[in-house]
Amino acid sequence: MEFDGLLFIVLVVQVLIRVAGALDCKNDTSFTIKSAEDVSAIGRCTFFNGSVAIGEDAPKDIEFKGIRSIRTLEAISIGKLRSISSRTLESVDNIILTGLPNLASLNLSTLSILDSIRLENLPSIENCSLGLGPRTEAAVFNTSFQRIEWLKWPVTTTLNITENSNLGTVSLPWETINSNVTMKGNPTLDEINIVTVENVFGSFTLEGSDEVKEIVFKSLETIDGEVNISGAFNNISMPVLKDLKGVLKVRSSEDISNFCNGLVEDRLKGQFDCKANVQKEEPSVPTPGPSEEPNNVPPPSPDEPLGQQDQSEGSDMALGAKIGIILASLVLAIFVFVGIFFFVRSRIRGKVMEIVPTVPGTPMVVPKPEKTVVITRLEGRTVRVVKINLNGQEIKEGELGEADKADSQANVGSKEMGREPSLRSVSSIGSDVKMLETRSPTCPVSPV
């Protein structure tokens, strides 16, 4: 009885755990499949508005039963996953399958709504079946697909088919290309069917598929976008092209001169560039001649990207140029300053400065005059003439003799007043002596 009680408790706990972890189909935003029970749990939802991710512990082969709609289905870097299938799933917004080395089959034949699909790094995939192809975006990178008829057309935004090593045929059953179609680096691609394309309003690019030898745009009439084709084809034709409003670029390593000449003769309005016999040029390595010495520049570090090396060299050159400009400017400024200094100095030395006292009461230095005394006798009178040479100007001062001074004492009122009649009397004799009246300066004067 005790054993039965314990068993009952264990069963109750398991039920409670399952109930607590049960999937809420309406409110959950994500769900990860980790076991076969999780696959069954998601199958009990008719519609799941979240994303479903396949985990590392999920079964190798997953089949969705019962569920009809999933927002996003993704599997990323799952090593053992081999197949994904469903016979009930009708709507998936996004499918993302990347890094699945053993995935060989994707079968969603009942799918009628698909917005985008991204298949990347799927080296083992061979079979793919979609009821309806993606409406907006499709990307197929590095897969082992040989054909891609499972992509239903048209794809309205982007179609990118790149580096698929086994891809042999691509068919675009469109009348109008409104999206960006890119096919690059598919080395085994040897056939591309575009005979139904009439208009290109988006872009069409074909590069790196040298096994394609013939490209026929049988129905193409209008290019209002961009067409860029390069390869090793020897036959390309656009027999009904009459309206070139966009860009057309064609290059081939083979002789397509007739096609290029035809574009010129048709005088199409628009931009086109066509070149034949274009050879791939390998970069040449310059070698020093007999008289040249090798450039002993150390090789760049392998850890440093080439772009950074070029940028660092350019930065060093720019810094050196800036330093040189600054130094040259400083030297020029010094020369100009010195020149101005000596010019002003020479002007000051060559200028005759006036003797003007600057501050009252301050002694003023004046040049010492040269004085010459001459004594003469005129009509019985003794006359002393003083000649003073001051700054190149000659000044004469006359004075009566001692005997004649007694006659003028009555007129003396002061020393200054007694001197004036003597000077006037000398002047009346008829002498050409220039009289000078001296006055005391306003500030003391000291001779040099």
Side-chain angles (χ1 to χ4, degrees):
M1 295 295 294
E2 294 180 358
F3 177 78
D4 293 339
L6 291 174
L7 180 60
F8 176 76
I9 293 173
V10 171
L11 292 175
V12 170
V13 171
Q14 291 180 352
V15 170
L16 291 175
I17 292 174
R18 289 189 179 183
V19 171
L23 176 63
D24 187 345
C25 301
K26 294 183 179 180
N27 298 320
D28 285 353
T29 58
S30 63
F31 182 71
T32 301
I33 298 175
K34 301 178 181 179
S35 62
E37 288 78 10
D38 291 335
V39 177
S40 300
I42 195 68
R44 287 191 287 269
C45 296
T46 304
F47 301 98
F48 184 68
N49 291 325
S51 62
V52 176
I54 300 176
E56 294 182 357
D57 298 327
K60 296 179 180 180
D61 301 298
I62 295 179
E63 181 180 2
F64 295 101
K65 297 179 180 180
I67 190 168
R68 297 174 58 188
S69 175
I70 297 175
R71 181 64 59 85
T72 300
L73 174 62
E74 65 178 13
I76 300 175
S77 301
I78 308 300
K80 62 182 182 180
L81 184 63
R82 294 185 305 188
S83 67
I84 300 173
S85 63
S86 177
R87 287 179 289 181
T88 61
L89 194 58
E90 299 174 355
S91 174
V92 179
D93 289 349
N94 307 294
I95 297 178
I96 304 173
L97 305 177
T98 65
L100 308 175
N102 294 309
L103 183 66
S105 176
L106 175 63
N107 187 354
L108 303 175
S109 57
T110 57
L111 200 61
S112 58
I113 297 176
L114 176 62
D115 283 340
S116 68
I117 185 170
R118 182 178 185 87
L119 307 178
E120 182 176 1
N121 296 330
L122 308 179
S124 301
I125 195 164
E126 298 177 355
N127 301 316
C128 184
S129 176
L130 301 176
L132 183 66
R135 296 181 297 184
T136 59
E137 182 177 357
V140 184
F141 292 94
N142 189 24
T143 70
S144 58
F145 287 120
Q146 296 182 1
R147 308 174 70 89
I148 55 172
E149 283 84 358
W150 48 268
L151 278 175
K152 304 298 188 292
W153 315 105
V155 179
T156 58
T157 303
T158 302
L159 172 62
N160 198 329
I161 304 173
T162 301
E163 297 180 0
N164 298 281
S165 58
N166 296 330
L167 187 61
T169 302
V170 173
S171 178
L172 302 180
W174 300 345
E175 292 183 357
T176 300
I177 296 178
N178 290 311
S179 56
N180 299 320
V181 179
T182 302
M183 289 179 280
K184 292 183 178 181
N186 302 293
T188 59
L189 180 64
D190 58 5
E191 182 180 355
I192 178 169
N193 185 355
I194 47 178
V195 295
T196 62
V197 176
E198 298 178 1
N199 307 291
V200 177
F201 295 111
S203 66
F204 176 83
T205 301
L206 176 64
E207 296 178 0
S209 301
D210 292 344
E211 296 299 318
V212 177
K213 301 301 181 183
E214 184 178 42
I215 302 174
V216 180
F217 288 89
K218 184 178 180 180
S219 306
L220 182 61
E221 297 180 358
T222 301
I223 298 178
D224 200 2
E226 181 175 351
V227 176
N228 190 346
I229 303 173
S230 63
F233 47 89
N234 51 28
N235 183 16
I236 180 172
S237 62
M238 301 177 182
V240 296
L241 179 63
K242 58 183 180 182
D243 192 3
L244 179 57
K245 298 178 181 178
V247 178
L248 173 62
K249 295 181 180 179
V250 180
R251 286 175 170 80
S252 177
S253 59
E254 303 296 328
D255 187 6
I256 56 169
S257 302
N258 292 335
F259 175 76
C260 296
N261 295 334
L263 293 176
V264 177
E265 294 173 358
D266 291 341
R267 298 180 179 178
L268 294 173
K269 295 181 180 180
Q271 181 181 352
F272 63 87
D273 182 8
C274 185
K275 294 183 179 180
N277 301 313
V278 176
Q279 302 297 326
K280 296 181 179 179
E281 297 182 357
E282 296 183 358
S284 58
V285 179
T287 56
S291 60
E292 297 177 355
E293 295 181 2
N295 188 10
N296 296 323
V297 178
S301 172
D303 297 332
E304 183 180 4
L306 182 59
Q308 296 182 3
Q309 298 166 10
D310 297 339
Q311 292 176 3
S312 63
E313 293 176 2
S315 301
D316 294 340
M317 294 178 62
L319 181 59
K322 291 179 180 178
I323 294 175
I325 293 173
I326 293 174
L327 292 177
S329 301
L330 291 175
V331 172
L332 179 61
I334 292 173
F335 275 108
V336 172
F337 177 80
V338 172
I340 293 174
F341 173 78
F342 281 105
F343 175 78
V344 173
R345 183 179 179 183
S346 63
R347 294 281 295 179
I348 292 175
R349 287 186 174 183
K351 183 178 179 181
V352 177
M353 300 183 62
E354 297 179 358
I355 305 173
V356 179
T358 57
V359 180
T362 303
M364 181 175 61
V365 179
V366 296
K368 185 176 182 180
E370 296 180 1
K371 181 185 293 186
T372 305
V373 179
V374 179
I375 300 174
T376 59
R377 184 78 178 174
L378 295 176
E379 297 181 2
R381 297 182 180 182
T382 303
V383 178
R384 188 177 65 174
V385 179
V386 180
K387 296 180 179 180
I388 301 174
N389 188 349
L390 179 63
N391 289 338
Q393 296 182 358
E394 185 177 275
I395 301 174
K396 298 179 180 181
E397 180 179 0
E399 184 176 327
L400 292 176
E402 294 294 334
D404 300 321
K405 288 183 179 180
D407 298 336
S408 59
Q409 290 294 328
N411 298 326
V412 175
S414 63
K415 187 177 181 179
E416 287 256 340
M417 297 295 295
R419 187 178 176 187
E420 288 181 358
S422 298
L423 295 176
R424 282 196 293 270
S425 62
V426 173
S427 176
S428 63
I429 299 176
S431 174
D432 57 351
V433 177
K434 184 178 180 181
M435 304 302 169
L436 174 65
E437 181 180 358
T438 60
R439 296 180 181 178
S440 299
T442 59
C443 59
V445 179
S446 59
V448 178

